[in-house]
Amino acid sequence: MLTNQLLSPQQVAEIYQTYMQQDFPPAEIKPLPVLHDLMQRGLYHPYGWFDSQGQMVAYSFFVSAPETPILLLDYFAVCSTYRSQGYGGQCLAQMKQLCQAATGILAEVEDPAKSSSAEEAQIRTRRVAFYQRNGLRETTIRSVLFGVPYTIHYYPLSTDYTDEQLEQALKAIYHTLFPQFILDAHAKIWRPESGAQ
């Protein structure tokens, strides 16, 4: 049975400098001072997931925004030595209890259709399948952030929403993460069906 613990700024720094550099492409890793600033403002919620021996097997970092009760799962990874053992699914199941003050969780998942190679497409497709197996649904929302294309998935905790409502929630969260000039230059959120890009 996994347990979770809110992480300190020092623990976040250690994870950032070790695990995150292996688990995420450089374009997806925000500067550490940004994460620490959001933590100080009470808008960033980093958790470690630990086994019965106290070893960290996974970590999940959430962003909240004052304008919405929906969270963004900013980073989520199972540590490499613990993968393919069912821990990822256990973490997602426990997020319902951990994040019970929220109505749901958004997740950015790299778009398989925008892959640069067959191998990358396979990895991204597996990731999408993992989230869908564990209760997340793919929305019609798409985003590009610092050149990385994402499909947006949603994990309803207490409330489901229309994709239009979820798009507005994601925009509010992005505004929490980045100043407007950064968003103008490096971010785009849209729903192809709405005709707006």
Side-chain angles (χ1 to χ4, degrees):
M1 179 71 173
L2 294 178
T3 59
N4 56 72
Q5 172 189 318
L6 188 64
L7 301 172
S8 69
Q10 181 180 354
Q11 289 172 307
V12 168
E14 291 170 358
I15 291 169
Y16 184 94
Q17 291 157 5
T18 54
Y19 295 104
M20 286 179 66
Q21 307 304 317
Q22 303 168 14
D23 296 335
F24 297 93
E28 297 183 25
I29 301 177
K30 300 172 184 68
L32 182 59
V34 171
L35 306 189
H36 280 165
D37 177 64
L38 289 165
M39 289 178 70
Q40 288 182 337
R41 292 161 56 196
L43 300 173
Y44 209 73
H45 317 280
Y47 285 87
W49 302 82
F50 300 88
D51 66 14
S52 57
Q53 280 74 49
Q55 297 297 311
M56 190 182 78
V57 301
Y59 56 93
S60 54
F61 296 176
F62 302 91
V63 185
S64 60
E67 301 86 351
T68 177
I70 299 169
L71 297 173
L72 173 67
L73 182 56
D74 197 30
Y75 297 104
F76 173 48
V78 175
C79 301
S80 57
T81 54
Y82 295 95
R83 289 176 190 161
S84 302
Q85 299 178 48
Y87 286 119
Q90 289 181 50
C91 291
L92 281 171
Q94 291 183 22
M95 283 180 197
K96 287 202 171 188
Q97 182 68 26
L98 177 66
C99 303
Q100 59 183 328
T103 54
I105 301 170
L106 288 164
E108 303 158 317
V109 185
E110 293 161 311
D111 190 346
K114 306 293 185 182
S115 301
S116 60
S117 68
E119 181 184 9
E120 186 176 79
Q122 189 176 48
I123 292 169
R124 291 180 175 187
T125 299
R126 281 204 307 267
R127 194 172 294 138
V128 168
F130 162 76
Y131 279 117
Q132 292 180 348
R133 274 199 315 274
N134 285 282
L136 283 79
R137 69 169 176 85
E138 184 175 348
T139 72
T140 58
I141 306 163
R142 298 293 180 265
S143 74
V144 176
L145 194 59
F146 296 99
V148 181
Y150 296 104
T151 61
I152 305 302
H153 288 64
Y154 180 63
Y155 193 20
L157 300 181
S158 63
T159 309
D160 207 347
Y161 295 95
T162 66
D163 286 2
E164 183 177 5
Q165 290 171 314
L166 293 174
E167 180 185 8
Q168 295 308 311
L170 184 61
K171 287 179 177 177
I173 294 167
Y174 275 18
H175 276 97
T176 294
L177 282 169
F178 305 105
Q180 187 61 49
F181 75 93
I182 294 289
L183 293 175
D184 290 342
H186 300 289
K188 183 171 73 168
I189 302 171
W190 77 99
R191 286 176 298 121
E193 65 177 20
S194 73
Q197 290 196 31

